[in-house]
Amino acid sequence: MDAFISQKIDNSALRSHPWTSMVSDESSVYMDFKQQPELIRSALEDLLPFQQWEFVEQFYRLIEWVNGASSLLESNDSVFNAAEDNSDQQYPYAKKCSARLMILFRDIPENCQDKSLDWLMNNIQSMASSMKPGFKAGAIGLSKSPTCYLALGDKPDSGGMGYQVTLNFFAYGEDEQACYANLNDVLAITQKALLRVNMRIKNGEIDALYAI
């Protein structure tokens, strides 16, 4: 599967973690799925109209695992965009759908370390791109989003300024059904990649970056 890293940082809006509510929709509020995993299958409004499709169950499983007890990561935001006409010329399919999941280290200070963030992005990209190399109807793009970690302070000199990693999922097909089947594959590959990355973190590879 195609997996790529964008060097462009999304500076369109400075996020906070945890956030309160969306400026554009005050009914959308931050939920800590680590503490309330039962909300995952009811609170993600984008997915509710599509529950007949297999990819929704895979998306739920991915988010449940990221926020589960065995993960050293967590999620902060997700989006799903339904199938539409495809304008991405590098993928010769009639339809396209997309989704997004923002993730971060549970060890909050790691999110303020460029070396740790780069390691996370590079390892996800490497793992995902090595899986199912013949699969060309989907892709994952990784980028950084500036974030103020409120637990570390909310001033420019407080040490709380860092990033989250945004995972952008893209899937293509000749029709809606094919799009969603391919998105299911993209999400499954992502979860396998994150499982392997999580094990590397547990094995001390992040700590080794800072060994003298």
Side-chain angles (χ1 to χ4, degrees), residues 97-115:
C97 65
S98 62
R100 183 184 74 203
L101 182 66
M102 303 185 80
I103 62 171
L104 56 135
F105 291 106
R106 291 198 195 185
D107 184 4
I108 295 300
E110 292 289 1
N111 299 293
C112 302
Q113 301 291 332
D114 285 339
K115 196 181 292 187

Side-chain angles (χ1 to χ4, degrees), residues 3 10 15 19 26 37 53 55 74 86 109 117 141 147 167 169 194 200 208-209:
D10 178 12
R15 293 174 176 265
W19 49 281
E26 292 186 357
W53 299 100
F55 81 86
E74 63 181 280
N86 176 33
L117 267 295
T147 302
L167 307 177
F169 309 116
L194 289 175
R200 289 186 171 188
L209 297 174

Side-chain angles (χ1 to χ4, degrees), residues 156-173:
D157 58 352
S158 65
M161 296 305 300
Y163 296 95
Q164 295 174 64
V165 174
T166 300
L167 307 177
N168 289 297
F169 309 116
F170 306 97
Y172 304 87

Side-chain angles (χ1 to χ4, degrees), residues 81-208:
N81 299 301
E84 60 183 359
D85 291 343
N86 176 33
S87 60
D88 297 343
Q89 295 183 0
Q90 67 271 41
Y91 294 96
Y93 298 91
K95 297 292 183 179
K96 164 190 173 182
C97 65
S98 62
R100 183 184 74 203
L101 182 66
M102 303 185 80
I103 62 171
L104 56 135
F105 291 106
R106 291 198 195 185
D107 184 4
I108 295 300
E110 292 289 1
N111 299 293
C112 302
Q113 301 291 332
D114 285 339
K115 196 181 292 187
S116 298
L117 267 295
D118 290 342
W119 181 94
L120 180 60
M121 293 177 67
N122 288 332
N123 275 265
I124 296 172
Q125 189 271 339
S126 175
M127 291 290 183
S129 63
S130 70
M131 298 178 188
K132 210 169 181 180
F135 175 60
K136 297 301 181 183
I140 175 175
L142 298 98
S143 60
K144 291 180 182 177
S145 179
T147 302
C148 178
Y149 288 94
L150 300 180
L152 304 178
D154 60 359
K155 305 298 182 185
D157 58 352
S158 65
M161 296 305 300
Y163 296 95
Q164 295 174 64
V165 174
T166 300
L167 307 177
N168 289 297
F169 309 116
F170 306 97
Y172 304 87
E174 291 307 317
D175 54 26
E176 182 183 49
Q177 182 175 358
C179 260
Y180 295 156
N182 289 326
L183 180 58
N184 187 71
D185 284 350
V186 171
L187 295 169
I189 290 169
T190 300
Q191 183 166 348
K192 290 178 183 177
L194 289 175
L195 280 164
R196 295 184 183 182
V197 170
N198 190 64
M199 185 57 65
R200 289 186 171 188
I201 300 172
K202 288 185 176 181
N203 289 338
E205 292 196 22
I206 292 284
D207 294 337

Side-chain angles (χ1 to χ4, degrees), residues 17-67:
H17 179 77
W19 49 281
T20 52
S21 62
M22 291 178 62
V23 173
S24 59
D25 182 3
E26 292 186 357
S27 66
S28 294
V29 297
Y30 172 74
M31 299 178 186
D32 187 345
F33 289 146
K34 303 188 306 301
Q35 301 299 321
Q36 296 177 290
E38 71 279 3
L39 295 179
I40 292 172
R41 292 171 179 262
S42 62
L44 301 178
E45 296 92 344
D46 292 351
L47 296 176
L48 293 178
F50 299 90
Q51 300 218 34
Q52 72 272 29
W53 299 100
E54 186 178 1
F55 81 86
V56 173
E57 175 63 25
Q58 178 57 57
F59 210 172
Y60 287 150
R61 288 199 300 265
L62 170 58
I63 296 172
E64 286 169 342
W65 176 82
V66 169
N67 294 286

